[in-house]
Amino acid sequence: MRHSVLLAALLGATSSLFWAGNAIVGKVVVATLPAFTLSQFRWALAFVLLAPFGLPRIYRQWHWYRQHLPRLSLLALLSVGFYNTLQYWALEYTEPVKVGAMLALMPLSIAVVSGFLGGRKLSGLEWLTSIVAVFGAVVVVSNGQWSVFFSQQRGWLGELLMVCAVSSWAFYSVLLKRLPHAGIEPIGLLTFFVGVGCVLILPFWLYDVRHEAIFVPPPELWWSIAFVAIFPSILSFMCWNKAVSLADPTIAGLMVTTAPLFNAMLSMAFLNAHISLTQWSGIAIVIVGVASTLLLSRRQPVPPPVLV
């Protein structure tokens, strides 16, 4: 049992590391390649890689897919279409460490949306620990300089886009749980979401075709397309599902709190970013706040994200 828990924690942390790598690579690439184009080619390549394994599974269970097609299309829009594209767009205006701090709030966002849609509501103590986590994220974003919130020169587009992205993923997670999908093979479902998501992202990419100088990744950027298509899109999904199957989902959910830590470390290693002591303190507050909330809800855990 202890071995299973440790392996689940390791796999959950590996997923979080891959997702942090997605933010770092995204930050590097969006300096050259528009966010919509990066998202389009990421998921197109992921679909090509998944199709040989996923399409036969979809075919075998096509009656279920056809029966739930409108809801499945909405879920593809919320996850692959909105969440991932908005995250890349946000990286054009903000830093990966700030994105990581906001991503760590994902389990809390899912809990709030679940309660809003009639599910389990947070207790008073859980609300308190959630507020602590949000305070930590604010510290990371502002670097402890509260005056920036009142500055007319400071743009908040990146942070607002991340709020929209996190909200989109929260609705996806809650609606997915309510969809009767027992017995549906995960690889097939992932392939469906990725394929439909590619189609839904297409209008955004066509916007880049019309307005941007670069709308197809140049050869020197295909390494980044391959990375984000394989590691945060496919391997992280597999690691996450295995982690959830080995132990209590709360154990895997706790690993989401490592997102700002990994983002900060990778930013320092690959972007030569400076993370201030204040931001490290904010990261610690986020981790403590989210972990406390997840542990308090252990009897009825809120499902964390499974696809980013």
Side-chain angles (χ1 to χ4, degrees):
M1 180 65 179
R2 180 175 299 178
H3 174 75
S4 297
V5 171
L6 290 176
L7 183 57
L10 178 61
L11 290 170
T14 300
S15 297
S16 189
L17 176 62
F18 288 159
W19 295 330
N22 180 47
I24 302 302
V25 172
K27 182 62 177 179
V28 173
V29 174
V30 295
T32 304
L33 195 67
F36 300 147
T37 298
L38 172 59
S39 186
Q40 178 70 69
F41 281 86
R42 168 196 179 177
W43 291 112
L45 180 56
F47 179 76
V48 169
L49 297 174
L50 286 167
F53 309 97
L55 290 181
R57 290 168 168 80
I58 294 175
Y59 178 77
R60 287 197 297 267
Q61 299 178 318
W62 177 243
H63 175 73
W64 180 85
Y65 284 93
R66 184 173 59 184
Q67 181 181 359
H68 299 286
L69 188 60
R71 295 171 66 181
L72 289 170
S73 299
L74 174 61
L75 291 172
L77 177 65
L78 291 171
S79 56
V80 174
F82 283 165
Y83 169 73
N84 292 279
T85 304
L86 289 173
Q87 182 179 343
Y88 286 142
W89 194 7
L91 285 166
E92 293 184 1
Y93 302 97
T94 191
E95 302 302 319
V97 65
K98 299 177 182 179
V99 169
M102 299 184 75
L103 289 180
L105 301 177
M106 189 75 74
L108 309 183
S109 303
I110 295 173
V112 171
V113 170
S114 178
F116 175 75
L117 295 180
R120 175 182 175 272
K121 292 179 169 52
L122 295 177
S123 67
L125 189 55
E126 287 171 323
W127 272 112
L128 179 61
T129 53
S130 299
I131 291 172
V132 169
V134 172
F135 173 76
V138 171
V139 170
V140 175
V141 170
S142 66
N143 197 17
Q145 299 176 7
W146 310 111
S147 60
V148 300
F149 292 106
F150 307 99
S151 173
Q152 296 182 351
Q153 298 179 348
R154 173 65 161 86
W156 294 99
L157 181 56
E159 286 76 12
L160 289 175
L161 287 170
M162 279 308 302
V163 169
C164 293
V166 170
S167 300
S168 178
W169 188 265
F171 276 98
Y172 158 79
S173 300
V174 174
L175 294 176
L176 176 62
K177 185 178 180 181
R178 297 184 178 190
L179 181 71
H181 59 280
I184 300 302
E185 299 187 58
I187 294 297
L189 190 58
L190 175 62
T191 304
F192 180 89
F193 285 151
V194 171
V196 174
C198 284
V199 176
L200 296 174
I201 296 171
L202 191 59
F204 298 97
W205 176 62
L206 292 176
Y207 173 87
D208 280 347
V209 170
R210 184 176 178 85
H211 294 90
E212 300 289 347
I214 299 177
F215 52 86
V216 174
E220 62 270 19
L221 289 182
W222 271 101
W223 68 268
S224 59
I225 303 296
F227 175 87
V228 298
I230 296 171
F231 288 92
S233 303
I234 299 176
L235 294 184
S236 61
F237 170 81
M238 295 178 177
C239 289
W240 184 268
N241 276 7
K242 187 62 176 178
V244 171
S245 68
L246 285 172
D248 190 309
T250 304
I251 300 298
L254 287 172
M255 295 302 102
V256 175
T257 64
T258 61
L261 180 61
F262 283 136
N263 278 46
M265 294 171 63
L266 293 178
S267 294
M268 293 173 64
F270 295 102
L271 302 180
N272 199 28
H274 172 70
I275 312 299
S276 69
L277 180 60
T278 300
Q279 288 179 308
W280 281 116
S281 300
I283 289 171
I285 294 172
V286 171
I287 292 174
V288 170
V290 176
S292 299
T293 306
L294 287 172
L295 290 173
L296 287 170
S297 63
R298 186 177 178 86
R299 292 184 179 179
Q300 301 183 56
V302 178
V306 294
L307 165 66
V308 288

